[in-house]
Amino acid sequence: MAVSAALLTAGAPTAPHVVAKLLRRLDGDHESVRETATALSASQRSGLRMLPRSLPLVPSVAAAFEGSDLAPAHRRTLLIVALSTRGDLDLLTRATGLTAHELTTGPAGAHLNIGRGRCELADRRMRVWLEHAASTDDLRQAHERLRAAHEERREHESMLWHRARAAVHRCPDAGASLASAARELAERGDSERAFAVAVEAADHADGAARDEAKLVAGAAAVGAGCFEDATEWLGDVYPHGDGSLRRRALASLLIAETCAQGTVPVVDPAEHRPHDADVSGWREWARTTALTAVMCAERGRTSEMRTWLAELRDADARAGAGGEISRPAVDLCWTLSGDDCDGSTDSTGPFSGGLVPALRAAVDGDIDLGLQLLARARSTRVQEIDPLVSGFECSPLVDAYLAVAETLMHFWSGDIRTARDRLAVAAVDLPIAVPFAGLGAALAARLDVSAIGAPGPLTHALSATLPSGIRIDGLVDRGLAAYLTGQQEEADTEIALWHELGAPESALGLPGLDEVGPIDERKRTEPAELTETRQLLTRIRRMPAQTWRRERYEIAAACRDLRSAFCRGRVEAMLGTTCVVRGDAVAGRRHLRAARSLFEEAGAAAWRDAAELRLGLISERLHAMSREPTAPIAVIHDPVPVESSRVAWSAVLSAREVDVAMRVVEGATNSEIAADLEISVRTVEVHVGRILATLGVRNRVQLTALAHRTGRHG
């Protein structure tokens, strides 16, 4: 993440998976990556467009090879190696006309790694230098040699690629074959290579074959998460293709436009619905309606989701699909919208048979089963055809959905450490910010704040490179960061503002901050244990003083039934701070110690540190109260027992609120407090209202009594 952080500082934010690609192509050299990323477009850095086939020649790469004294023949040898898509030693000996011994011992050998049947450039940055130094004729001749070698080995797909790259004129007869090869590459999950081959096919093909190549290029770009490329290629072919081509392109085009712009395009189903009995046409339409409904559900557009689901049921029936397309889509839509459904797990494929039932199992409370289903989906994705996302089973986009779902489930289970590790690993290879309308980026922020108290480099990189239409609300994360560092008033303000803006959040619930701010009892799409945790926290906040002791024991007993260490820790922490506020510092310390251990187990270091901070304040006060007084007469008249409430209340009140509370206890009026603190009377009134609500007392008399009780039990 060091490179990502440096690029952010340099004003060239780059998505983590794009940084990883650059590191691989530039042999891990940080300076070359930094210079190259800066030279790319913002869309390429964010991953919305593919990286260029030939990276720009930047100063650090040029400097690395400017002293290379290579004869033209040896440079041609290295260029052939650089342009090979296979790195196979036998192939390269055929293409260069040199034996393996000659390759190894010759002048070019110093720049090659040869062994175990492989031959590659020793420094992958050299490819950039070689391509920029080569003439058009040099490149054509190198591709021609590789074409001949592949043809000799009867490797048709690679032969076609190099034939097209070596051609002086267009090769229309190769276009259709290249498009077919590109489709096979996409189905195997090699979306970037599929895109490159399809683009080459489109350059050579004519008529229908050219439109087919553009369709494959656009679909491959969707699979890679390069939605601006996809929109461009699919948008070019869609208006001009025949009926079959248009139906096949529509689903991918809607996905691309939605993910690039952030909103689902307004589409009239009547304009695109098939008007004949062609089963294949209705099947494509069923997939289009299903995926559009899911995208609406991801973005909380329930009304549009229902419209598309109605269209889906009809299309599924007309296609004779027997529900294999409609069932997983309906199940996922209702899961995302938070409604009950009769979920079925008999579908196949990583998305329909893996992701959808896994999410349903997790929401129903069996997170372990959900994780098992996701693991199975990853292991069988090559063998199983997915009726809902046919052709995308092995794509980076589907893999990103699986990775984000797995991370969320670990978070739901309370394992912050594992969730954060899984997301960081996935971010290196996948466009994880895309699934579920930006849930991956929101997850990264929430996990970072829980673990380290603030957004880290991964979160900053993801947030800075999100598609323009995706907005991740940061109010809860800022409120959480403030709360964990004891800035109670700031936390309360952020959460209150979040509620005023409609409490925006992802379709799938993220554990947030229920300890402060307005109490929110909305139904969320989350496991029952998270809902129960929210209810326990709300119950603690609402408990009247007269039932406090009885209810505390009931809540503590209910807390012990929670399986999540993180959920238990939050309840224990709030019980602890509330005990201190209510005058029972000993019980408060016991609960906070339990919270500290539970947060440590969960990997929620920032929450652990917050519990440690509160424990430190309690220990300091208890230690001060245990020391022998040096002036007995002064102790009789000194209000130190009341002052002990200052330390206790600082765990839940802001510093200014504590000052106001202590003056209320001393008997000062609002006007006197305002004059003393140099603030308005209205501000004092607001503070007093928050103080009474937070400490669970009705009026100033009860607040004063609570302060004296805290002093006696401190």
Side-chain angles (χ1 to χ4, degrees):
M1 291 302 165
V3 179
S4 293
L7 287 169
L8 278 169
T9 303
T14 308
H17 68 290
V18 177
V19 171
K21 291 175 186 176
L22 291 173
L23 284 168
R24 287 191 289 269
R25 290 178 64 172
L26 296 170
D27 216 51
D29 183 69
H30 288 197
E31 181 62 18
S32 297
V33 170
R34 187 191 65 77
E35 291 178 353
T36 301
T38 303
L40 298 175
S41 70
S43 295
Q44 289 170 328
R45 290 197 301 269
S46 66
L48 291 175
R49 287 191 179 275
M50 294 282 185
L51 291 176
R53 184 180 297 162
S54 179
L55 294 177
L57 181 64
V58 295
S60 59
V61 173
F65 304 103
E66 63 183 358
S68 300
D69 186 17
L70 290 167
H74 302 138
R75 186 174 293 193
R76 284 194 294 270
T77 295
L78 292 173
L79 183 61
I80 291 171
V81 175
L83 296 179
S84 172
T85 59
R86 301 284 293 275
D88 182 277
L89 180 59
D90 174 69
L91 171 77
L92 291 171
T93 56
R94 294 170 189 258
T96 60
L98 301 173
T99 65
H101 179 73
E102 289 171 332
L103 279 174
T104 304
T105 59
H111 300 282
L112 297 174
N113 284 333
I114 300 176
R116 298 186 178 182
R118 303 286 299 169
C119 177
E120 298 171 334
L121 293 175
D123 187 333
R124 281 167 288 186
R125 293 179 299 169
M126 192 175 212
R127 172 172 178 166
V128 179
W129 178 73
L130 287 167
E131 287 184 309
H132 281 273
S135 66
T136 300
D137 193 54
D138 289 336
L139 291 168
R140 188 190 64 77
Q141 289 182 17
H143 280 295
E144 174 58 30
R145 283 177 170 268
L146 286 165
R147 180 209 61 77
H150 281 293
E151 186 172 35
E152 186 178 346
R153 285 162 52 111
R154 298 182 180 179
E155 294 168 345
H156 186 64
E157 174 190 310
S158 297
M159 183 275 292
L160 285 173
W161 165 256
H162 290 293
R163 177 191 171 196
R165 297 297 295 159
V168 177
H169 305 289
R170 293 172 61 251
C171 304
D173 60 312
S177 296
L178 281 172
S180 177
R183 185 175 293 282
E184 291 180 8
L185 286 166
E187 290 174 352
R188 294 202 298 266
D190 194 349
S191 299
E192 291 185 47
R193 179 67 181 156
F195 178 79
V197 173
V199 168
E200 192 69 32
D203 285 345
H204 289 272
D206 289 318
R210 187 166 186 264
D211 286 340
E212 177 70 19
K214 289 182 178 181
L215 172 61
V216 176
V222 169
C226 299
F227 301 115
E228 288 187 9
D229 278 329
T231 300
E232 182 177 297
W233 284 92
L234 294 169
D236 184 47
V237 67
Y238 180 76
H240 312 298
D242 59 24
S244 173
L245 198 68
R246 287 166 59 86
R247 285 193 294 270
R248 289 164 56 203
L250 183 57
S252 296
L253 180 59
L254 289 176
I255 293 172
E257 290 183 345
T258 299
C259 293
Q261 300 168 11
T263 58
V264 183
V266 177
V267 176
D268 182 0
E271 295 182 5
H272 303 277
R273 188 185 303 123
H275 298 291
D276 53 34
D278 178 38
V279 171
S280 63
W282 280 105
R283 193 173 186 87
E284 287 295 338
W285 178 239
R287 289 182 61 242
T288 299
T289 58
L291 294 171
T292 306
V294 169
M295 290 187 293
C296 289
E298 287 181 337
R299 288 154 180 81
R301 294 173 55 176
T302 307
S303 177
E304 292 93 330
M305 177 196 80
R306 292 176 185 273
T307 299
W308 284 105
L309 287 180
E311 191 73 28
L312 166 61
R313 292 185 182 94
D314 178 63
D316 189 285
R318 290 175 180 268
E324 68 174 6
I325 299 175
S326 63
R327 278 198 308 271
V330 170
D331 191 5
L332 181 56
C333 284
W334 290 129
T335 298
L336 293 174
S337 63
D339 290 330
D340 295 329
C341 64
D342 297 324
S344 172
T345 58
D346 59 356
S347 299
T348 61
F351 201 91
S352 300
L355 175 72
V356 176
L359 279 174
R360 170 51 58 186
V363 169
D364 287 343
D366 196 341
I367 296 177
D368 289 339
L369 175 59
L371 290 170
Q372 290 169 15
L373 289 170
L374 288 178
R376 179 188 176 280
R378 282 192 294 271
S379 65
T380 61
R381 65 193 180 118
V382 177
Q383 294 83 19
E384 292 186 348
I385 294 175
D386 194 311
L388 183 56
V389 293
S390 178
F392 291 97
E393 290 88 348
C394 299
S395 68
L397 183 59
V398 167
D399 283 346
Y401 268 89
L402 296 176
V404 170
E406 180 190 11
T407 299
L408 179 63
M409 289 180 198
H410 283 298
F411 195 7
W412 278 349
S413 73
D415 191 347
I416 308 299
R417 184 180 295 105
T418 299
R420 195 160 173 259
D421 289 345
R422 290 283 195 276
L423 195 66
V425 170
V428 172
D429 295 310
L430 305 171
I432 61 167
V434 174
F436 305 110
L439 178 60
L443 260 173
R446 195 65 47 83
L447 289 167
D448 272 353
V449 174
S450 298
I452 60 176
L458 173 62
T459 294
H460 287 304
L462 289 173
S463 299
T465 56
L466 282 171
S468 59
I470 296 178
R471 291 288 181 266
I472 301 302
D473 180 77
L475 289 169
V476 174
D477 297 306
R478 291 196 292 273
L480 180 55
Y483 177 78
L484 294 176
T485 53
Q487 301 173 70
Q488 193 80 12
E489 186 174 4
E490 289 80 354
D492 188 74
T493 300
E494 296 285 0
I495 299 302
L497 181 57
W498 178 65
H499 279 277
E500 290 172 9
L501 294 175
E505 58 184 357
S506 62
L508 296 168
L510 290 180
L513 183 62
D514 301 277
E515 286 79 352
V516 299
I519 292 175
D520 185 358
E521 297 180 284
R522 291 175 302 164
K523 183 179 179 181
R524 288 176 169 86
T525 303
E526 63 186 10
E529 183 161 289
L530 270 70
T531 302
E532 184 179 354
T533 300
R534 295 177 190 274
Q535 292 170 346
L536 290 174
L537 294 172
T538 298
R539 186 177 172 188
I540 295 171
R541 295 179 63 184
R542 286 176 169 169
M543 274 189 300
Q546 57 268 30
T547 63
W548 160 244
R549 289 190 179 278
R550 174 178 58 80
E551 290 198 60
R552 176 171 72 82
Y553 290 118
E554 293 175 358
I555 293 171
C559 175
R560 287 192 289 272
D561 291 334
L562 298 174
R563 292 179 298 170
S564 163
F566 182 59
C567 289
R568 282 192 62 188
R570 290 179 64 188
V571 177
E572 291 281 6
M574 197 166 186
L575 280 173
T577 55
T578 309
C579 280
V580 174
V581 168
R582 297 291 172 88
D584 192 347
V586 174
R589 182 166 59 179
R590 185 168 61 252
H591 285 297
L592 283 167
R593 283 175 174 170
R596 179 180 60 188
S597 297
L598 289 164
F599 289 141
E600 177 68 32
E601 179 184 344
W607 284 87
R608 177 205 62 203
D609 294 344
E612 186 70 49
L613 175 65
R614 287 161 172 77
L615 280 168
L617 293 173
I618 295 171
S619 296
E620 287 177 11
R621 189 58 197 167
L622 290 175
H623 177 68
M625 295 297 293
S626 68
R627 289 181 297 185
E628 286 293 328
T630 57
I633 296 177
V635 170
I636 293 173
H637 300 287
D638 189 27
V640 166
V642 174
E643 278 292 314
S644 67
S645 60
R646 177 184 293 276
V647 174
W649 294 349
S650 65
V652 292
L653 300 177
S654 68
R656 177 50 59 89
E657 287 172 347
V658 170
D659 288 339
V660 171
M662 297 311 299
R663 283 163 174 78
V664 170
V665 170
E666 292 167 1
T669 66
N670 286 353
S671 297
E672 291 170 340
I673 296 171
D676 189 21
L677 298 180
E678 298 182 347
I679 56 179
S680 70
V681 174
R682 176 56 186 157
T683 301
V684 174
E685 291 172 351
V686 171
H687 283 316
V688 171
R690 285 181 177 174
I691 291 164
L692 297 179
T694 301
L695 300 182
V697 294
R698 293 194 182 94
N699 51 48
R700 301 162 89 95
V701 173
Q702 289 187 359
L703 179 63
T704 303
L706 176 61
H708 283 276
R709 188 163 61 250
T710 301
R712 288 197 303 271
H713 293 285

